[in-house]
Amino acid sequence: MLFGIAWDTSSGWAFAISILPILLRGLVVTIQATVVGFFIALVVGLVWAALKAAPLRIVSWPAAIVTEFLRDTPLLIQLFFLYYVLPEYGIVLPAFMTGALALGLQYSAYTSEVYRAGIEAVPRGQHEAARALNLKGMRTFTHIVLPQAVPRIIPAMGNYLVSIMKDVPLLSVVTVLEMLNVARIIGDRTFNYLIPLSMVGGIYLIMTLIASAGVRFLDMRLPKRGIPLK
């Protein structure tokens, strides 16, 4: 029994039905970690992209070094650092937020490159037209460049969304009860790993298919042409 839920191990189907509620609780944690981590990756990645595009090297170089570090070091090391090292300096975060932050920071290094590619794909004529209309640099970036870059990077961002979702099980090392960790605990207590792990694999397959379909829908719906300047 886990979280007050009894498991019927008399048959395969009965066992699967009895553990489904607790797996769904783990699924909620998995989805929450995916959403929070992806949101952090999107926001911080855009910040890294803007800093690396800055004309001043004193701004662009540190951002490039940090993103390279995040990209070239394992997620587990970053996760352990946030969870075990930061408390030594008085910074204590809940296990869930630690995991989501680690996911977001790791993938922000990748999304920053996606943003960069999307921004560079915007025709230079759009920048020149904005300057001709005397638009400030920030307004040009937020109202002209970014709206045209985002539709171009939807497929790549969708791939990272799926990747973050599949990396959530790593959060089990800092005691986050996401879906795979719950399945492992069920297996430890019932000595039946096949059914819970198979169910988790099936649920992950369904989630990735739904996420991929959503990304394709957005990719087809969002316009990719330049926007007229008025």
Side-chain angles (χ1 to χ4, degrees):
M1 181 179 294
L2 182 64
F3 296 143
I5 297 177
W7 303 319
D8 182 0
T9 58
S10 59
S11 67
W13 284 110
F15 179 51
I17 293 174
S18 66
I19 66 174
L20 182 59
I22 187 60
L23 287 180
L24 292 180
R25 292 190 188 181
L27 172 61
V28 172
V29 177
T30 298
I31 294 175
Q32 290 174 338
T34 301
V35 172
V36 176
F38 188 59
F39 176 78
I40 294 173
L42 289 178
V43 174
V44 180
L46 181 59
V47 173
W48 293 138
L51 292 177
K52 289 193 292 185
L56 297 176
R57 291 186 177 182
I58 195 173
V59 175
S60 61
W61 281 18
I65 292 173
V66 172
T67 54
E68 194 67 26
F69 173 82
L70 292 173
R71 185 167 52 242
D72 295 341
T73 54
L75 175 59
L76 272 178
I77 292 180
Q78 299 171 19
L79 189 59
F80 284 143
F81 183 89
L82 292 174
Y83 192 72
Y84 293 109
V85 177
L86 289 187
E88 297 180 5
Y89 297 91
I91 304 175
V92 181
L93 298 174
F96 175 83
M97 284 308 303
T98 300
L101 181 61
L103 285 171
L105 290 178
Q106 165 94 159
Y107 278 90
S108 69
Y110 300 106
T111 58
S112 68
E113 289 300 305
V114 176
Y115 279 121
R116 181 190 59 80
I119 291 171
E120 291 181 353
V122 176
R124 295 299 304 174
Q126 295 289 306
H127 297 267
E128 296 169 358
R131 281 197 298 269
L133 292 174
N134 200 28
L135 294 179
K136 295 182 183 277
M138 180 58 67
R139 185 173 177 82
T140 299
F141 180 76
T142 57
H143 288 72
I144 305 300
V145 177
L146 199 57
Q148 295 181 73
V150 168
R152 292 177 166 88
I153 63 178
I154 289 295
M157 289 299 187
N159 290 336
Y160 287 126
L161 171 62
V162 173
S163 296
I164 289 177
M165 185 186 302
K166 292 189 292 186
D167 277 348
V168 168
L170 291 176
L171 306 190
S172 63
V173 300
V174 292
T175 70
V176 175
L177 280 176
E178 47 72 44
M179 187 166 52
L180 184 58
N181 194 21
V182 170
R184 181 189 60 79
I185 293 174
I186 293 174
D188 290 341
R189 297 188 179 185
T190 63
F191 303 102
N192 186 338
Y193 291 93
L194 176 61
I195 292 177
L197 292 180
S198 298
M199 292 176 67
V200 169
I203 293 172
Y204 263 107
L205 177 61
I206 294 172
M207 287 196 302
T208 53
L209 290 175
I210 292 174
S212 299
V215 170
R216 286 195 298 270
F217 176 82
L218 287 177
D219 187 40
M220 291 186 297
R221 292 291 181 177
L222 291 178
K224 298 180 178 59
R225 295 177 299 177
I227 58 179
L229 297 174
K230 297 182 180 180

